[in-house]
Amino acid sequence: MKRHLISAADLTRDDAVLILDTAEEMARVADRPIKKLPTLRGRTVVNLFFEDSTRTRISFEAAAKRLSADVINFSAKGSSVSKGESLKDTALTLEAMGADAVVIRHHASGAPYRLANSGWIDGAVVNAGDGTHEHPTQALLDAFTMRRRLVGPDAGTGHDLAGRRITIVGDVLHSRVARSNVHLLTTLGAEVTLVAPPTLVPVGVETWPCEVSYDLDSVLPKSDAVMMLRVQRERMNAAFFPTEREYARRYGLDGERMARMPEHAVVMHPGPMNRGMEITAEVADSGRCTAVEQVANGVSIRMAVLYLLLGGSEPAVTNNARPEENK
Ligand code: NCD
């Protein structure tokens, strides 16, 4: 695996499967009464958030703490960034603190790449979402969730998503989650179809390794997982669809549409959800929707990523940490 995690497109199949398998071990730790491993004791992880986040920030923090790392949380609001401090000066400050890993979310696509290749810091850089570019750990936790739901928790290690049909629906244009998922899921052997209004399909999508459709109802019966994307109004500088009602009618998932999916198929959403827009409350709260599971799986995936990038000095999960063997 590379030293940084900037893009899902950088991951080979072996890298991706190693992360998923390591996350499976980490998930077992989450079932123990004491959810902590000593693996990253003495290491410092900085969460550098220039953009709002609930799930991703909390989950990276929980992951680092479960591995016993020291965690510094930095959010641009309330810091010297609001006084105009540059990414470079912020990075130099982190370096002075001895950061072993920097988890960065930034509104500018490419900011994590800049940080990783600038020479400003020595630590590993993990992209927690950059502009409309990529969000690799989200794609990993999505793949992990699909693998558990579609292949089964006892499928053992090494399994990928070969031949599974995944449909990603909605605001693809502004979605770093969609970009990262298309790369990762195809690397894992899945077949991906994007469904969106023509105005929300990115220019150049022909070069992406996936199909594009404008007809949700025809794709649903052939899907093993349907990932609904949030309509990202904060990134929209123009009218991309006539009305919210019209959007929901053509591209939203309601109970009636969900009934067209095969029985085993799941509904996914990275959150935050616009209930009533891309997904109805009925679907969001149904047992087929994995949104909450995705959050829990996010901690295991981020533990695996931090562990693998920081090359923990001890095995990820040691036998003597098992509570029953400590008795
Ligand atoms: C996504 C993000 O921030 O890119 N959310 C997340 O990380 N859970 C998707 C979104 O904001 O819609």
Side-chain angles (χ1 to χ4, degrees):
M1 221 169 106
K2 295 194 171 185
R3 207 161 70 80
H4 308 288
L5 179 57
I6 307 296
S7 161
D10 293 339
L11 295 172
T12 62
R13 182 187 173 278
D14 285 351
D15 291 337
V17 170
L18 175 66
I19 297 171
L20 297 179
D21 289 350
T22 308
E24 206 57 71
E25 285 182 50
M26 298 298 181
R28 281 195 281 276
V29 175
D31 296 335
R32 299 178 184 174
I34 296 170
K35 301 179 176 27
K36 221 161 162 124
L37 294 172
T39 324
L40 296 184
R41 203 161 38 194
R43 306 293 202 96
T44 302
V45 175
V46 178
N47 290 322
L48 189 56
F49 278 67
F50 291 88
E51 216 186 58
D52 296 344
S53 173
T54 305
R55 281 152 282 267
T56 307
R57 192 174 55 77
I58 293 175
S59 145
F60 268 110
E61 182 175 351
K65 286 184 169 162
R66 283 188 192 173
L67 292 170
S68 306
D70 293 321
V71 184
I72 299 175
N73 288 316
F74 170 102
S75 77
K77 274 185 208 134
S79 76
S80 287
V81 170
S82 25
K83 299 180 190 164
E85 186 159 31
S86 66
L87 180 61
K88 176 174 178 176
D89 288 322
T90 308
L92 294 176
T93 305
L94 303 181
E95 182 59 12
M97 307 269 176
D100 295 293
V102 177
V103 176
I104 175 173
R105 167 168 287 198
H106 203 284
H107 43 81
S109 301
Y113 179 85
R114 181 86 184 97
L115 193 62
N117 294 286
S118 58
W120 301 329
I121 56 163
D122 279 336
V125 174
V126 183
N127 181 4
D130 62 330
T132 57
H133 175 229
E134 280 233 29
H135 193 355
T137 58
Q138 178 71 40
L140 285 160
L141 75 88
D142 290 337
F144 184 78
T145 306
M146 287 180 223
R147 198 173 77 155
R148 285 192 138 195
R149 279 282 194 127
L150 302 176
V151 184
D154 301 320
T157 54
H159 271 265
D160 61 13
L161 293 167
R164 308 290 157 154
R165 290 165 303 178
I166 319 294
T167 303
I168 303 179
V169 188
D171 185 359
V172 178
L173 180 65
H174 300 105
S175 181
R176 50 198 179 202
V177 175
R179 266 175 196 68
S180 289
N181 263 295
V182 168
H183 289 304
L184 182 70
L185 292 172
T186 50
T187 299
L188 289 170
E191 291 164 23
V192 182
T193 303
L194 302 176
V195 181
T199 49
L200 289 175
V201 173
V203 173
V205 78
E206 327 66 70
T207 62
W208 295 21
C210 60
E211 302 285 316
V212 178
S213 164
Y214 303 105
D215 181 8
L216 181 55
D217 290 325
S218 69
V219 180
L220 288 177
K222 296 178 277 181
S223 306
D224 296 305
V226 177
M227 186 184 298
M228 303 307 297
L229 299 173
R230 182 173 67 89
V231 176
Q232 301 198 22
R233 269 175 284 220
E234 77 278 19
R235 296 192 208 273
M236 292 186 184
N237 52 8
F240 286 89
F241 44 83
T243 61
E244 290 190 4
R245 239 180 97 156
E246 175 72 6
Y247 181 90
R249 199 178 62 76
R250 297 211 41 194
Y251 297 98
L253 191 63
D254 59 10
E256 206 177 305
R257 280 216 163 101
M258 187 169 67
R260 294 172 196 250
M261 291 165 41
E263 222 162 286
H264 69 273
V266 291
V267 176
M268 308 184 66
H269 197 303
M273 292 192 257
N274 289 314
R275 287 172 179 245
M277 181 92 171
E278 70 266 2
I279 191 166
T280 62
E282 181 193 359
V283 175
D285 297 331
S286 81
R288 301 181 74 173
C289 180
T290 61
V292 177
E293 233 169 279
Q294 286 168 262
V295 177
N297 290 340
V299 178
S300 307
I301 280 291
R302 284 156 184 146
M303 285 174 79
V305 166
L306 290 172
Y307 168 76
L308 291 168
L309 288 180
L310 294 184
S313 53
E314 298 166 44
V317 182
T318 50
N319 282 340
N320 62 14
R322 285 179 201 276
E324 63 274 16
E325 287 166 27
N326 281 346
K327 279 178 196 157

